[in-house]
Each structure stands twice: as C-alpha cells, then as structure tokens.
Amino acid sequence: MLDKKVAKLINEQVNKEFYSAYLYLDFANYYEDEGLDGFANWYEIQAMEERDHAMMMRKYLIDSGIRVTFDKIEKPDKTFDNHLAPLEAGLEHERYVTSLVLKIYKAADDAQDYKTMQFLDWFVKEQGEEEKNAEDLIKKMKLYGGDGKGLYMLNQELAARKYTAPSAAD
Ligand code: FEO
C-alpha cells in the first residue's frame, strides 16, 4: 500500500498532467491561428505526451490499489503577444512541473517508498529532456525566427515531429 501523502500527490499530479495537455493544446490553437501549423503540430504532440504522463500515473495508482479521483481541469488563460511567448511560457511550465515531480520524489523518499521513487525516476529523466527541448526551441526561435524565411524553415522542422508512445525503456 502506498503512503497516503505520496498517493495524494500522485493523484494531484494526474490532474496537473492533464492540465499540461490542455495548456499545450491551447498553445497549438494559438499557432494554428497564426498560420504556423508546424509549431501547432509540435505542441499537439507535446499534449499527447502529457496525457500519456497522466495515464501512466493513473495506472500506477490503480496497480497500487488506490482509487483515483479526478478534479476539475484549470482553464488555460494565457494570451500571447508574439511567437516566442508560448515557447517561454512552455519552459516556465516545465520547470514548474519538474518542481512538482521532485516534491513527490521527496515525499516518497521521506516515506521510504522505494518503489515509487523507482517509478518516478522515469519522470525525473523526462522532465530533464522536456526542459532541454523547451530551451532548444527558444534558442532556435531567437536565432532564426526573426525573419520570414527563418520562421518558415523552423515551422517546417517542427511539422516533422512525430508522436511516439512512451516506453519504460526510454
Ligand atoms: Fe508531463 Fe511536460 O511534463
């Protein structure tokens, strides 16, 4: 049986991951509206990955005999003045999510719940990758996004991103 506090934090994180999916779909909506379908594609796939994270945590709780409960998903309410702004908001959001994952990790450590710590290792690594992806995207946008041709090329590059389901071996 999972420690109560750990189980509660993971259940809360399920909601946060669904919110992340919602937030990134909202970014995709913005980019679709701006005619940048490659950027929209990138965030649609990001949203699918966030949903996967929620589902992985839900499954972990269920497999641990915990009744999962769903909460209301917050409304994404950001507005953007320029094409760089969602990318920066995305990085900020990922840093926040990392802090949440580490909080659960700490609670699991305090409860000597090594099984959950092992489960969370994947998420700690994933957060490192997601922060790096967000940082790289901002760098590229600052380098190439300033003129129409550069933005077009970057949009093409992001259009090529394909979804792959997460695997424990990642
Ligand atoms: Fe599920 Fe982007 O962290």
Side-chain angles (χ1 to χ4, degrees):
M1 194 65 179
L2 285 189
D3 174 77
K4 268 203 174 70
K5 185 180 169 197
V6 172
K8 184 170 176 285
L9 286 172
I10 298 174
N11 199 147
E12 282 170 11
Q13 192 61 28
V14 169
N15 178 275
K16 304 271 187 194
E17 298 291 337
F18 277 125
Y19 169 74
S20 298
Y22 222 39
L23 179 72
Y24 290 143
L25 271 183
D26 195 48
F27 288 10
N29 292 343
Y30 163 79
Y31 283 120
E32 289 286 4
D33 196 42
E34 293 290 308
L36 291 168
D37 57 347
F39 283 74
N41 173 64
W42 202 89
Y43 276 113
E44 275 168 27
I45 291 171
Q46 198 58 36
M48 287 157 85
E49 289 195 356
E50 298 303 347
R51 177 192 170 276
D52 290 338
H53 299 166
M55 298 298 275
M56 286 160 74
M57 289 183 179
R58 173 182 172 271
K59 180 87 168 63
Y60 180 73
L61 290 175
I62 290 171
D63 289 348
S64 305
I66 305 286
R67 168 79 166 88
V68 178
T69 56
F70 285 155
D71 211 340
K72 203 190 281 180
I73 300 171
E74 211 181 311
K75 175 180 160 66
D77 59 356
K78 292 190 192 311
T79 52
F80 305 113
D81 295 334
N82 58 66
H83 298 146
L84 178 65
L87 308 183
E88 288 180 326
L91 175 59
E92 191 188 327
H93 182 68
E94 285 307 326
R95 286 178 175 158
Y96 168 63
V97 173
T98 300
S99 77
L100 296 174
V101 169
L102 295 180
K103 196 173 147 194
I104 309 172
Y105 203 92
K106 171 82 172 58
D109 193 13
D110 290 347
Q112 297 191 319
D113 180 352
Y114 304 116
K115 187 169 159 254
T116 297
M117 288 167 77
Q118 200 175 40
F119 168 71
L120 290 173
D121 279 340
W122 186 91
F123 288 89
V124 173
K125 187 164 170 260
E126 175 74 4
Q127 281 312 120
E129 285 168 14
E130 296 210 327
E131 284 190 31
K132 167 103 174 52
N133 288 342
E135 284 163 2
D136 287 352
L137 210 48
I138 289 170
K139 267 187 218 155
K140 281 186 186 175
M141 188 64 168
K142 285 184 175 170
L143 270 173
Y144 311 117
D147 72 274
K149 192 169 174 218
L151 188 61
Y152 179 79
M153 301 291 282
L154 195 49
N155 188 60
Q156 296 282 93
E157 184 188 319
L158 299 184
R161 184 181 185 188
K162 299 255 184 292
Y163 169 74
T164 46
S167 125
D170 282 351

